[in-house]
Amino acid sequence: MSRILILGAGRSATVLIDYLLEDAKKNDYTVVVGDMSKELAEEKIAGRPNGQAIQLNVTNEEQLDSEIKKSDVVVSLLPAKFHYLAAVKCVKHKVDMVTASYVSPEIRALDEDAKKAGIIMLQEMGVDPGIDHMSAMKLIHEIQEKGGEISSFKSFTGGLVAPQYDNNPWGYKFTWNPMNVVIAGKAGAKFIRNGWYKYIPYHNMFRRLETHTVLDYGEFEAYPNRDSLSYREAYGLENIPTIFRGTFRKVGFCEAWDMLVQLGLTENAFEIDVPENMTYRDFTNTFLPYNRTDSVEKKVANLLGVDIDSVEMKKLDWLGIFDLKTVPVSKGTPAQILLELLKEKWDLEEGDKDMIVMQHLIDYTLDGKEHKVKSSMVCIGDDQIRTSMAKTVGLPAAIGARMVLNKKFKSKGVVIPTIKEVYTPILEELKSFGIDFVEEEEVFEFTENVK
Amino acid sequence: MSRILILGAGRSATVLIDYLLEDAKKNDYTVVVGDMSKELAEEKIAGRPNGQAIQLNVTNEEQLDSEIKKSDVVVSLLPAKFHYLAAVKCVKHKVDMVTASYVSPEIRALDEDAKKAGIIMLQEMGVDPGIDHMSAMKLIHEIQEKGGEISSFKSFTGGLVAPQYDNNPWGYKFTWNPMNVVIAGKAGAKFIRNGWYKYIPYHNMFRRLETHTVLDYGEFEAYPNRDSLSYREAYGLENIPTIFRGTFRKVGFCEAWDMLVQLGLTENAFEIDVPENMTYRDFTNTFLPYNRTDSVEKKVANLLGVDIDSVEMKKLDWLGIFDLKTVPVSKGTPAQILLELLKEKWDLEEGDKDMIVMQHLIDYTLDGKEHKVKSSMVCIGDDQIRTSMAKTVGLPAAIGARMVLNKKFKSKGVVIPTIKEVYTPILEELKSFGIDFVEEEEVFEFTENVK
């Protein structure tokens, strides 16, 4: 009997385990879920047929070796740094592998060995990276096949709260790892616009925005992602004059978030010893120039050059940065201290549903005409277990794992879903789960020579 | 015959070697200079009696062990990360040690072992750290001994070009490690002011300035140093309401430097692949929002909110960031690319002399009166070998090494020159080299209760 081994039973595993257990029942194979906590693995399997829970510590090399040796496919949902441990064993025992994480340089270096072993190591099979690759490459290939020349590629993804549950002045709630949101953008961003390279330092990140409309969901603004340039090679768009990837937020979020950045509250480079009874008001004050008479609010407004009664100041006030509430930790970076406050304000409430918004914008010329394609996808969570994030991360990996088990792919080595044999069937199947892209296209007469 | 081993014969070693060879001739001991390059060590000794040059690789454990075993004192002028290798051997063979670098956590952890071995490991014996500790502690102890209560301690040091050679719009030239100047402030800063903790993120670093007059040398402005708070413990000022350490620049420097920071040209977190024939004008443009018609100068002025004809824009222009000159490297962080330009503009010219400016400002109350003490030191280089930096770094370490050899200190273990038995004789001897502090004191009637 075939055996799929899932490493890690955390949040992102739920939907994947459900999918594979359902399929295993029909097609008679075993789904083994290994986690540090056997209870957690058991909970996720919930007594369903074909499932088996084991206690597994991936740093126990012997155990990892023997479990992988017995398997036909390994799906690693571990924190990214652990994938390599499993990958080496997969190569050794000629076992196919699937992950939802970015290909690390170490994993990339296994490509030749994986090919020699005759296995596929299917990576970046989540939402971002994952569904973004698949849906973008489907568009790009279609345009290229009909002879279009692409001049601009832009792509945006955002993890947000669904509109019905969007009830705070920021239009935002945490739907995934909160700390990643607080320190987003720290490494700066690189992209190219009309042939001009553009680099953005962290402190300007939330000021260099693009705004786009997505279906009937209104306007979203995007701040730039870390390295858009590397996508030129990944997507076969080496000489494209414009490439830009960004993160979507509701309009107005970035301008207010930028105030926290400018104040220094998102700093993560140094730790603060929090004095006893320090309030969030004191915490905010530590970033402001000393002034004997001005209120903390007045000093913030002065430093940021905004009116004390402005919408932005109201957003900061709503967060609680002026409150006399005691900081609940004794030590931490400003980002960690701010996070404690944000978690109280931005955590999903009972019944809230999350939402993934993705959009690609491509400009191309064909037969002397200028085309603009917009491809948009909005996926709303079913509940707080089968969230939109869990579905869009778990389903591509699950479908990928099933197809790998059934030897559906010819490709060997380290593969990401930018190739047709992977993205076509997976995008098709994702539709049945409501993960579907809507394409809109406009065509313009080419006016450049007329002017 | 006694033996002092000097590890490293680089720039900072020259004055130290001169001092010790002079003393060795009188008092008959050997000064061994070990460097990766034996030629460099020989050049620094220049055939003088009592000197001996050896080729020495500190990562060759066996050689390091045998050389340290033969010595009575080891002076390490190696890059800071190598001190520990020597320190461990010093403890093992009960050999005293001197460095001019900050005590690392690893070295600090050797304190007990060093005490057991009966040796002194004298650290932070340069200018900053070094002369700053000595001169500050002399003042602090004097005030405390007469019963004064210190309410504010501020201390500033700057490595600058001497006024006669200050002939560019920035009032600045490189006198030490240029890259450290370009990335200065990256880790943020912490201090305390009137009992309020203050934290400053990098992007606000060059906007939160203090300005002070030093003797007849005019006005200097100071941006905050990394962690002033840690000096409370080091200086025995645990409950002081105000402590601030800063770096001195000529007035006007920081405001213009802040423009480079705001643009992103000092970023060091990501690398750029430099396209062929990219000019510095293009480089600057990569940090600016795309605009089809505005000049690079106009976009910079707009982004920074300054007038295109302002003094600040003239300073940027003088640096060459708008020039059509090709970037001379094929890859690097923005900071590294900027550095190439700055080195052309800010390198010392032939005949230029450097200058170290140091100032402590202490407020204290005594007998109901408020006192303000200002202690200032300006040291100008003799030439480009015996620079002010080389003298102020090399002489404290050299005097310290001589005194350690002659068993002048009772203290054992890891020691920094905040203690009287170290700073008193060394400050006294530094005077004979023209490194002397001028104290000015003002006394005010205490008016707080009168208001």
Side-chain angles (χ1 to χ4, degrees), chain B residues 249-294:
Chain B
R249 293 285 179 257
K250 286 297 287 180
V251 169
F253 177 92
C254 292
E255 191 180 357
W257 183 260
D258 183 52
M259 296 174 73
L260 299 175
V261 172
Q262 297 309 321
L263 288 173
L265 303 192
T266 65
E267 281 296 299
N268 205 33
F270 56 82
E271 272 203 342
I272 291 174
D273 288 313
V274 177
E276 219 175 325
N277 298 322
M278 187 195 219
T279 63
Y280 270 99
R281 191 176 181 81
D282 295 334
F283 170 66
T284 301
N285 191 40
T286 61
F287 294 90
L288 302 169
Y290 179 80
N291 183 302
R292 198 189 281 260
T293 52
D294 284 353

Short mmCIF file of all heavy atoms in Angstrom, two decimals, chain B residues 249-294:
data_model
loop_
_atom_site.label_atom_id
_atom_site.label_comp_id
_atom_site.label_asym_id
_atom_site.label_seq_id
_atom_site.Cartn_x
_atom_site.Cartn_y
_atom_site.Cartn_z
N ARG B 249 30.13 66.05 14.50
CA ARG B 249 30.43 66.47 13.13
C ARG B 249 30.38 67.99 13.10
O ARG B 249 29.80 68.61 14.00
CB ARG B 249 29.37 65.92 12.15
CG ARG B 249 29.39 64.40 12.00
CD ARG B 249 30.56 63.95 11.15
NE ARG B 249 30.62 62.51 11.01
CZ ARG B 249 31.48 61.73 11.69
NH1 ARG B 249 32.33 62.27 12.56
NH2 ARG B 249 31.50 60.44 11.50
N LYS B 250 30.96 68.61 12.07
CA LYS B 250 30.82 70.05 11.92
C LYS B 250 29.34 70.39 11.68
O LYS B 250 28.62 69.60 11.05
CB LYS B 250 31.67 70.56 10.75
CG LYS B 250 33.17 70.59 11.02
CD LYS B 250 33.58 71.55 12.14
CE LYS B 250 33.46 73.00 11.70
NZ LYS B 250 33.86 73.91 12.82
N VAL B 251 28.92 71.55 12.14
CA VAL B 251 27.52 71.94 11.99
C VAL B 251 27.11 71.94 10.52
O VAL B 251 27.85 72.43 9.66
CB VAL B 251 27.28 73.33 12.62
CG1 VAL B 251 25.91 73.88 12.24
CG2 VAL B 251 27.39 73.23 14.14
N GLY B 252 25.98 71.35 10.21
CA GLY B 252 25.46 71.29 8.84
C GLY B 252 25.68 69.95 8.18
O GLY B 252 24.99 69.60 7.22
N PHE B 253 26.61 69.15 8.71
CA PHE B 253 26.89 67.85 8.12
C PHE B 253 25.67 66.93 8.21
O PHE B 253 25.26 66.31 7.22
CB PHE B 253 28.09 67.20 8.82
CG PHE B 253 28.39 65.81 8.32
CD1 PHE B 253 29.29 65.61 7.29
CD2 PHE B 253 27.77 64.69 8.87
CE1 PHE B 253 29.56 64.34 6.82
CE2 PHE B 253 28.02 63.42 8.40
CZ PHE B 253 28.93 63.23 7.37
N CYS B 254 25.09 66.84 9.39
CA CYS B 254 24.05 65.83 9.63
C CYS B 254 22.81 66.08 8.79
O CYS B 254 22.19 65.14 8.29
CB CYS B 254 23.71 65.75 11.10
SG CYS B 254 25.07 65.09 12.10
N GLU B 255 22.44 67.34 8.65
CA GLU B 255 21.23 67.65 7.87
C GLU B 255 21.40 67.17 6.43
O GLU B 255 20.47 66.63 5.83
CB GLU B 255 20.95 69.15 7.92
CG GLU B 255 19.59 69.52 7.38
CD GLU B 255 19.33 71.02 7.43
OE1 GLU B 255 20.18 71.78 7.94
OE2 GLU B 255 18.26 71.43 6.96
N ALA B 256 22.60 67.36 5.88
CA ALA B 256 22.84 66.93 4.50
C ALA B 256 23.00 65.42 4.41
O ALA B 256 22.47 64.77 3.50
CB ALA B 256 24.08 67.63 3.95
N TRP B 257 23.68 64.83 5.40
CA TRP B 257 23.83 63.37 5.41
C TRP B 257 22.46 62.70 5.51
O TRP B 257 22.20 61.66 4.89
CB TRP B 257 24.74 62.93 6.56
CG TRP B 257 24.98 61.46 6.57
CD1 TRP B 257 24.38 60.53 7.35
CD2 TRP B 257 25.87 60.73 5.70
NE1 TRP B 257 24.83 59.27 7.04
CE2 TRP B 257 25.75 59.36 6.04
CE3 TRP B 257 26.75 61.10 4.69
CZ2 TRP B 257 26.47 58.36 5.39
CZ3 TRP B 257 27.48 60.10 4.04
CH2 TRP B 257 27.34 58.76 4.38
N ASP B 258 21.58 63.31 6.30
CA ASP B 258 20.22 62.78 6.45
C ASP B 258 19.53 62.65 5.09
O ASP B 258 18.71 61.74 4.89
CB ASP B 258 19.41 63.68 7.37
CG ASP B 258 18.02 63.13 7.63
OD1 ASP B 258 17.92 61.96 8.02
OD2 ASP B 258 17.04 63.86 7.43
N MET B 259 19.85 63.52 4.15
CA MET B 259 19.24 63.42 2.82
C MET B 259 19.67 62.13 2.11
O MET B 259 18.86 61.48 1.45
CB MET B 259 19.61 64.65 1.99
CG MET B 259 19.04 65.94 2.59
SD MET B 259 19.60 67.42 1.74
CE MET B 259 18.66 67.33 0.23
N LEU B 260 20.93 61.76 2.28
CA LEU B 260 21.39 60.50 1.69
C LEU B 260 20.68 59.32 2.35
O LEU B 260 20.31 58.35 1.69
CB LEU B 260 22.91 60.36 1.84
CG LEU B 260 23.75 61.44 1.15
CD1 LEU B 260 25.23 61.27 1.49
CD2 LEU B 260 23.56 61.38 -0.37
N VAL B 261 20.51 59.43 3.67
CA VAL B 261 19.80 58.38 4.41
C VAL B 261 18.37 58.27 3.90
O VAL B 261 17.88 57.18 3.59
CB VAL B 261 19.82 58.65 5.92
CG1 VAL B 261 18.90 57.67 6.67
CG2 VAL B 261 21.24 58.59 6.47
N GLN B 262 17.67 59.42 3.82
CA GLN B 262 16.26 59.41 3.41
C GLN B 262 16.11 58.86 1.98
O GLN B 262 15.17 58.14 1.69
CB GLN B 262 15.64 60.80 3.51
CG GLN B 262 15.59 61.38 4.93
CD GLN B 262 14.97 60.44 5.94
OE1 GLN B 262 14.01 59.74 5.66
NE2 GLN B 262 15.53 60.39 7.14
N LEU B 263 17.05 59.20 1.11
CA LEU B 263 16.98 58.69 -0.26
C LEU B 263 17.16 57.18 -0.29
O LEU B 263 16.61 56.50 -1.16
CB LEU B 263 18.07 59.35 -1.13
CG LEU B 263 17.83 60.80 -1.50
CD1 LEU B 263 19.07 61.37 -2.20
CD2 LEU B 263 16.61 60.93 -2.41
N GLY B 264 17.94 56.64 0.64
CA GLY B 264 18.21 55.20 0.66
C GLY B 264 19.62 54.87 0.18
O GLY B 264 19.98 53.70 0.09
N LEU B 265 20.43 55.90 -0.11
CA LEU B 265 21.77 55.64 -0.67
C LEU B 265 22.72 54.99 0.33
O LEU B 265 23.76 54.48 -0.06
CB LEU B 265 22.41 56.94 -1.20
CG LEU B 265 21.65 57.74 -2.25
CD1 LEU B 265 22.54 58.81 -2.85
CD2 LEU B 265 21.14 56.84 -3.37
N THR B 266 22.37 55.03 1.63
CA THR B 266 23.25 54.41 2.63
C THR B 266 22.76 53.01 3.02
O THR B 266 23.28 52.41 3.96
CB THR B 266 23.33 55.27 3.92
OG1 THR B 266 22.03 55.30 4.52
CG2 THR B 266 23.78 56.69 3.61
N GLU B 267 21.77 52.48 2.31
CA GLU B 267 21.25 51.13 2.61
C GLU B 267 22.36 50.09 2.51
O GLU B 267 23.17 50.13 1.58
CB GLU B 267 20.16 50.76 1.60
CG GLU B 267 18.83 51.38 1.88
CD GLU B 267 18.24 50.90 3.19
OE1 GLU B 267 18.00 49.70 3.32
OE2 GLU B 267 18.03 51.74 4.08
N ASN B 268 22.35 49.16 3.44
CA ASN B 268 23.38 48.12 3.40
C ASN B 268 22.78 46.73 3.54
O ASN B 268 23.48 45.76 3.71
CB ASN B 268 24.39 48.39 4.54
CG ASN B 268 25.75 47.81 4.24
OD1 ASN B 268 26.16 47.75 3.09
ND2 ASN B 268 26.45 47.36 5.26
N ALA B 269 21.45 46.65 3.42
CA ALA B 269 20.75 45.38 3.67
C ALA B 269 20.57 44.56 2.40
O ALA B 269 20.27 43.38 2.48
CB ALA B 269 19.39 45.64 4.31
N PHE B 270 20.72 45.18 1.23
CA PHE B 270 20.58 44.39 0.01
C PHE B 270 21.62 44.80 -1.02
O PHE B 270 22.12 45.92 -1.00
CB PHE B 270 19.16 44.49 -0.58
CG PHE B 270 18.71 45.90 -0.88
CD1 PHE B 270 19.09 46.54 -2.06
CD2 PHE B 270 17.88 46.57 -0.01
CE1 PHE B 270 18.65 47.82 -2.34
CE2 PHE B 270 17.45 47.87 -0.27
CZ PHE B 270 17.84 48.49 -1.45
N GLU B 271 21.95 43.86 -1.90
CA GLU B 271 22.93 44.12 -2.96
C GLU B 271 22.24 44.47 -4.27
O GLU B 271 21.15 43.98 -4.57
CB GLU B 271 23.77 42.87 -3.20
CG GLU B 271 24.98 42.80 -2.30
CD GLU B 271 26.06 41.91 -2.89
OE1 GLU B 271 25.77 41.10 -3.80
OE2 GLU B 271 27.22 42.02 -2.44
N ILE B 272 22.91 45.31 -5.04
CA ILE B 272 22.43 45.69 -6.36
C ILE B 272 23.37 45.09 -7.39
O ILE B 272 24.59 45.16 -7.23
CB ILE B 272 22.46 47.23 -6.49
CG1 ILE B 272 21.41 47.87 -5.59
CG2 ILE B 272 22.28 47.65 -7.93
CD1 ILE B 272 21.50 49.39 -5.57
N ASP B 273 22.82 44.51 -8.45
CA ASP B 273 23.64 44.18 -9.62
C ASP B 273 23.71 45.44 -10.46
O ASP B 273 22.69 45.92 -10.95
CB ASP B 273 22.99 43.06 -10.44
CG ASP B 273 23.10 41.73 -9.73
OD1 ASP B 273 24.19 41.41 -9.26
OD2 ASP B 273 22.08 41.02 -9.65
N VAL B 274 24.90 45.99 -10.63
CA VAL B 274 25.03 47.25 -11.36
C VAL B 274 25.06 46.97 -12.87
O VAL B 274 25.94 46.26 -13.34
CB VAL B 274 26.33 47.98 -10.94
CG1 VAL B 274 26.52 49.26 -11.73
CG2 VAL B 274 26.32 48.26 -9.44
N PRO B 275 24.09 47.51 -13.63
CA PRO B 275 24.11 47.29 -15.08
C PRO B 275 25.34 48.00 -15.69
O PRO B 275 25.83 48.99 -15.12
CB PRO B 275 22.82 47.96 -15.57
CG PRO B 275 22.02 48.25 -14.35
CD PRO B 275 22.97 48.35 -13.21
N GLU B 276 25.81 47.50 -16.82
CA GLU B 276 26.98 48.10 -17.46
C GLU B 276 26.71 49.59 -17.74
O GLU B 276 25.61 49.96 -18.14
CB GLU B 276 27.26 47.37 -18.78
CG GLU B 276 28.75 47.19 -19.02
CD GLU B 276 28.99 46.36 -20.29
OE1 GLU B 276 28.17 45.44 -20.53
OE2 GLU B 276 29.95 46.63 -20.99
N ASN B 277 27.71 50.41 -17.54
CA ASN B 277 27.63 51.84 -17.83
C ASN B 277 26.63 52.61 -16.96
O ASN B 277 26.23 53.71 -17.30
CB ASN B 277 27.28 52.10 -19.31
CG ASN B 277 28.35 51.53 -20.22
OD1 ASN B 277 29.54 51.60 -19.90
ND2 ASN B 277 27.93 50.95 -21.33
N MET B 278 26.22 52.03 -15.86
CA MET B 278 25.34 52.76 -14.96
C MET B 278 26.14 53.93 -14.36
O MET B 278 27.24 53.75 -13.84
CB MET B 278 24.86 51.86 -13.83
CG MET B 278 23.81 52.52 -12.94
SD MET B 278 23.61 51.60 -11.39
CE MET B 278 21.83 51.69 -11.16
N THR B 279 25.55 55.12 -14.45
CA THR B 279 26.23 56.29 -13.89
C THR B 279 25.74 56.54 -12.46
O THR B 279 24.72 55.97 -12.04
CB THR B 279 25.92 57.54 -14.72
OG1 THR B 279 24.51 57.79 -14.64
CG2 THR B 279 26.32 57.35 -16.18
N TYR B 280 26.43 57.42 -11.75
CA TYR B 280 25.97 57.79 -10.42
C TYR B 280 24.62 58.50 -10.49
O TYR B 280 23.79 58.40 -9.60
CB TYR B 280 27.02 58.61 -9.67
CG TYR B 280 27.94 57.69 -8.90
CD1 TYR B 280 29.19 57.34 -9.40
CD2 TYR B 280 27.51 57.11 -7.72
CE1 TYR B 280 30.00 56.45 -8.71
CE2 TYR B 280 28.32 56.21 -7.02
CZ TYR B 280 29.56 55.89 -7.52
OH TYR B 280 30.34 55.00 -6.84
N ARG B 281 24.38 59.19 -11.60
CA ARG B 281 23.07 59.81 -11.80
C ARG B 281 21.97 58.74 -11.88
O ARG B 281 20.92 58.86 -11.26
CB ARG B 281 23.11 60.63 -13.09
CG ARG B 281 21.91 61.54 -13.28
CD ARG B 281 22.08 62.40 -14.54
NE ARG B 281 20.93 63.27 -14.69
CZ ARG B 281 20.79 64.42 -14.04
NH1 ARG B 281 21.74 64.84 -13.22
NH2 ARG B 281 19.71 65.16 -14.20
N ASP B 282 22.27 57.67 -12.65
CA ASP B 282 21.32 56.54 -12.73
C ASP B 282 21.12 55.91 -11.35
O ASP B 282 20.01 55.56 -10.96
CB ASP B 282 21.85 55.44 -13.66
CG ASP B 282 21.97 55.89 -15.11
OD1 ASP B 282 21.24 56.81 -15.51
OD2 ASP B 282 22.82 55.31 -15.83
N PHE B 283 22.23 55.72 -10.65
CA PHE B 283 22.19 55.11 -9.32
C PHE B 283 21.25 55.90 -8.40
O PHE B 283 20.36 55.34 -7.76
CB PHE B 283 23.62 55.07 -8.76
CG PHE B 283 23.73 54.69 -7.31
CD1 PHE B 283 23.39 53.42 -6.88
CD2 PHE B 283 24.20 55.60 -6.36
CE1 PHE B 283 23.50 53.05 -5.53
CE2 PHE B 283 24.32 55.26 -5.02
CZ PHE B 283 23.97 53.98 -4.62
N THR B 284 21.42 57.21 -8.37
CA THR B 284 20.55 58.06 -7.55
C THR B 284 19.10 57.92 -8.00
O THR B 284 18.19 57.80 -7.18
CB THR B 284 21.01 59.53 -7.66
OG1 THR B 284 22.36 59.61 -7.20
CG2 THR B 284 20.13 60.45 -6.82
N ASN B 285 18.92 57.87 -9.32
CA ASN B 285 17.57 57.76 -9.88
C ASN B 285 16.85 56.48 -9.46
O ASN B 285 15.63 56.45 -9.39
CB ASN B 285 17.63 57.86 -11.41
CG ASN B 285 16.25 58.03 -12.02
OD1 ASN B 285 15.41 58.76 -11.49
ND2 ASN B 285 16.01 57.33 -13.12
N THR B 286 17.62 55.40 -9.20
CA THR B 286 16.98 54.14 -8.82
C THR B 286 16.21 54.26 -7.50
O THR B 286 15.37 53.42 -7.20
CB THR B 286 17.99 52.98 -8.67
OG1 THR B 286 18.92 53.29 -7.65
CG2 THR B 286 18.70 52.67 -9.96
N PHE B 287 16.50 55.29 -6.72
CA PHE B 287 15.82 55.44 -5.43
C PHE B 287 14.64 56.40 -5.49
O PHE B 287 13.99 56.65 -4.49
CB PHE B 287 16.83 55.92 -4.37
CG PHE B 287 17.88 54.89 -4.10
CD1 PHE B 287 19.05 54.87 -4.81
CD2 PHE B 287 17.65 53.90 -3.16
CE1 PHE B 287 20.01 53.89 -4.59
CE2 PHE B 287 18.59 52.91 -2.93
CZ PHE B 287 19.77 52.91 -3.66
N LEU B 288 14.37 56.93 -6.68
CA LEU B 288 13.36 57.97 -6.81
C LEU B 288 12.10 57.44 -7.48
O LEU B 288 12.19 56.56 -8.34
CB LEU B 288 13.92 59.12 -7.64
CG LEU B 288 15.21 59.75 -7.07
CD1 LEU B 288 15.85 60.67 -8.08
CD2 LEU B 288 14.90 60.47 -5.78
N PRO B 289 10.95 57.97 -7.10
CA PRO B 289 9.72 57.55 -7.77
C PRO B 289 9.84 57.85 -9.27
O PRO B 289 10.43 58.85 -9.66
CB PRO B 289 8.64 58.43 -7.13
CG PRO B 289 9.22 58.92 -5.86
CD PRO B 289 10.70 58.99 -6.07
N TYR B 290 9.27 56.95 -10.07
CA TYR B 290 9.31 57.13 -11.52
C TYR B 290 8.56 58.39 -11.91
O TYR B 290 7.47 58.67 -11.41
CB TYR B 290 8.67 55.92 -12.21
CG TYR B 290 8.65 56.03 -13.71
CD1 TYR B 290 9.80 55.75 -14.45
CD2 TYR B 290 7.51 56.45 -14.39
CE1 TYR B 290 9.80 55.86 -15.83
CE2 TYR B 290 7.50 56.56 -15.76
CZ TYR B 290 8.65 56.27 -16.48
OH TYR B 290 8.65 56.38 -17.84
N ASN B 291 9.18 59.19 -12.81
CA ASN B 291 8.50 60.36 -13.34
C ASN B 291 9.09 60.62 -14.72
O ASN B 291 10.30 60.73 -14.89
CB ASN B 291 8.72 61.57 -12.42
CG ASN B 291 7.99 62.80 -12.90
OD1 ASN B 291 8.19 63.25 -14.03
ND2 ASN B 291 7.12 63.33 -12.06
N ARG B 292 8.23 60.71 -15.70
CA ARG B 292 8.67 60.73 -17.08
C ARG B 292 9.42 62.02 -17.45
O ARG B 292 10.27 62.02 -18.32
CB ARG B 292 7.43 60.58 -17.98
CG ARG B 292 7.70 60.17 -19.39
CD ARG B 292 6.41 60.29 -20.19
NE ARG B 292 5.52 59.17 -19.97
CZ ARG B 292 5.41 58.12 -20.84
NH1 ARG B 292 6.12 58.09 -21.92
NH2 ARG B 292 4.58 57.15 -20.59
N THR B 293 9.09 63.13 -16.78
CA THR B 293 9.61 64.42 -17.24
C THR B 293 10.57 65.13 -16.28
O THR B 293 11.43 65.88 -16.71
CB THR B 293 8.44 65.39 -17.52
OG1 THR B 293 7.61 65.42 -16.36
CG2 THR B 293 7.63 64.92 -18.71
N ASP B 294 10.45 64.88 -14.97
CA ASP B 294 11.30 65.61 -14.02
C ASP B 294 12.75 65.16 -14.09
O ASP B 294 13.04 63.98 -14.28
CB ASP B 294 10.80 65.41 -12.58
CG ASP B 294 9.55 66.23 -12.30
OD1 ASP B 294 9.16 67.03 -13.17
OD2 ASP B 294 8.97 66.05 -11.21
#
